[in-house]
Every structure is written in structure tokens, then in C-alpha cells.
Amino acid sequence: MGKLIVANWKMNKVRVEAEAFFAELDGLVDNHSKNAYAVCPPATILHYVSEVAPKKMKVGAQNVYYKESGAFTGEISVKMAKDAGASFSLVGHSERRNIFGETNDDVKEKITALQNDGLDVMLCVGEHLEEHDNLKAVLQEQLSVLKDVDIGKVIVAYEPVWAIGTGKVAELQDIVCAHKIIKDYVKNMFGRDVKVLYGGSVKASNAGEILSLDEVDGVLVGGASLDPKQFAQMINTEC
Ligand code: PEP
């Protein structure tokens, strides 16, 4: 069965760079690959990317605000993201939590707003290095926002904060352990299976071994997803 490879471009790429990315990606992706793939571009090129990305590729927002409209300078609503072509949004990325002070309450509001407007949710969870001994409790607290949510429209991304953009990747057995904690908690609390992606310094050279793990349903990739060669190699990985 195929897995899901998601690019998070963060605050990178303008239109001409996205155009060059897709032109190169086109010649590199194996159209017989069983893996699904998606991209979360910056909001400024969400619409453009949704027009030029391959048909098979889903397009998501990196963030949305939960209010429908009004005096919220600099924010984009779910309706705006949807209008620009997004079919899902990341929520609770550690950069949103740590740099912009996003709380679990904000995350919950965003999930509700996304689901009310028919967009899927990619909920990012993960521990700081000093929280590692307390992993289960940290993850469970972040996952508690899924109460009363349609879990069928949610994918969780496990992203240890210390592994994001640092070149440090979690050990394979630690990835398995964290994914089991997440899957068991969601099943026990909400009665549903959930897909879990791993994120944190994934690149073409380590994606194969991570994607080969049964507990890993895909990867969320930041830095390495900016390079069409690396991203295509991950899409083409046999899992
Ligand atoms: C991310 O931003 O979700 C991420 C995993 O980044 P990186 O791959 O650069 O660690």
C-alpha cells in the first residue's frame, strides 16, 4: 500500500520558483508510484500552486485562522484557503506553537473551523527535547483536541520539535514507539484508526527506511521538500 509524502514549504518560494519546481518535478516522478503526495505552499502562492501542481497532488494551507472574517490583519480564513485551492491545512505546527504562541485551544478552534468548511486537517504534534521522558503525556495532551472531531478527516503528523530543521532524525524505534502511542490513544479515546506521518529532518537519503516502518503512514517534509530531486525521490520510494 502506498504512503503519503507531504511537502511543507514554510516561508519559501515565490511564483517563479514554484513554476521551476513543478517543471523539474514533472520529469522525475514515477507515475506508477503508489504513494500519494501533497504540498503546503505559502499562502501567497496557494492559488497559483493549486493551478499548476500535478492533478494527483493535493494542495494544503500551512495555517488558517478560525474566525470567518473581520478585523484580523494578516490572517487568512478557512474559506479563503479553500477558495485558493486548499483541500486541507496543517494545524499546530511546532513553529506556529513556539514562534507564534499558538495554544491547544487555538488548535482546537482551527480544527473545528476547518471541518465546518469541509477541509481536512493535518494535526502536528511533538515533544521538545526536555519533554522526551514525558512523551506519552505530552502527545496525549496535544491529541486531546480531537475530542468531538471527525477523525476520518484528520491525519496526525508526529514531529519531535528537536528534529525539525536540525538534521537530527529520531531513531527508528522511537518513531515506532511515538506512532503507536498516537494510534492507540486515538483508537482508545475516539474509537477510530488514524494515519500518522513522521516529520523531522526527513530527506531523500533517510526517507526509505522511515517509510518502510509499518507504523508510519507517510512523511511531512520541510527543508528537503524544496528540492524537486529529493522530493521526487521520496515520492518514488517503494514502501
Ligand atoms: C516541518 O517543517 O514539518 C519539518 C519536518 O521540517 P524539516 O523537514 O526541515 O525538519
Side-chain angles (χ1 to χ4, degrees):
M1 209 183 72
K3 304 222 168 169
L4 174 61
I5 321 296
V6 183
N8 173 14
W9 282 355
K10 311 193 189 198
M11 199 173 73
N12 293 289
K13 293 198 193 292
V14 293
R15 220 158 18 150
V16 67
E17 292 163 326
E19 183 182 17
F21 177 94
F22 289 114
E24 193 173 345
L25 190 75
D26 189 41
L28 297 170
V29 169
D30 172 3
N31 290 322
H32 299 296
S33 168
K34 292 202 179 73
N35 297 323
Y37 50 106
V39 61
C40 299
T44 48
I45 55 168
L46 194 47
H47 182 249
Y48 175 74
V49 167
S50 71
E51 303 255 294
V52 300
K55 288 274 163 297
K56 204 184 151 190
M57 189 175 209
K58 288 200 170 161
V59 179
Q62 295 176 12
N63 180 40
V64 288
Y65 192 51
Y66 51 82
K67 297 283 189 183
E68 275 180 29
S69 61
F72 304 104
T73 302
E75 295 294 329
I76 65 164
S77 68
V78 175
K79 193 169 151 199
M80 289 168 178
K82 192 175 173 181
D83 185 55
S87 63
F88 73 97
S89 179
L90 302 182
V91 182
H93 190 282
S94 64
E95 287 152 15
R96 300 290 331 160
R97 294 180 193 261
N98 300 326
I99 303 172
F100 301 102
E102 192 165 295
T103 64
N104 269 343
D105 288 345
D106 298 325
V107 169
K108 174 83 191 173
E109 300 260 29
K110 290 180 183 197
I111 292 174
T112 305
L114 283 160
Q115 294 211 325
N116 285 344
D117 252 320
L119 262 68
D120 292 346
V121 170
M122 196 167 287
L123 170 64
C124 304
V125 297
E127 82 288 6
H128 287 271
L129 193 55
E130 61 276 15
E131 293 173 326
H132 193 68
D133 290 344
N134 211 11
L135 180 67
K136 199 168 181 180
V138 171
L139 294 180
Q140 290 184 347
E141 199 204 341
Q142 292 174 349
L143 292 165
S144 65
V145 298
L146 293 177
K147 186 168 186 286
D148 300 328
V149 160
D150 180 355
I151 306 288
K153 305 253 168 58
V154 174
I155 290 177
V156 174
Y158 168 60
E159 302 202 297
V161 180
W162 48 269
I164 296 183
T166 58
K168 292 182 194 145
V169 185
E171 298 289 338
L172 297 184
Q173 72 260 28
D174 290 340
I175 296 175
V176 169
C177 169
H179 282 221
K180 279 189 176 154
I181 290 173
I182 294 167
K183 285 172 185 261
D184 287 351
Y185 177 83
V186 173
K187 183 82 177 177
N188 292 337
M189 293 300 289
F190 312 120
R192 296 287 302 257
D193 291 320
V194 72
K195 285 195 183 339
V196 184
L197 315 183
Y198 169 77
S201 297
V202 176
K203 43 189 185 287
S205 59
N206 60 22
E209 58 180 8
I210 296 170
L211 287 167
S212 72
L213 300 169
D214 286 343
E215 293 77 6
V216 172
D217 298 300
V219 285
L220 177 56
V221 189
S225 75
L226 297 170
D227 171 8
K229 290 189 190 62
Q230 288 212 49
F231 194 57
Q233 223 175 303
M234 292 185 234
I235 293 168
N236 296 343
T237 305
E238 277 187 39
C239 309

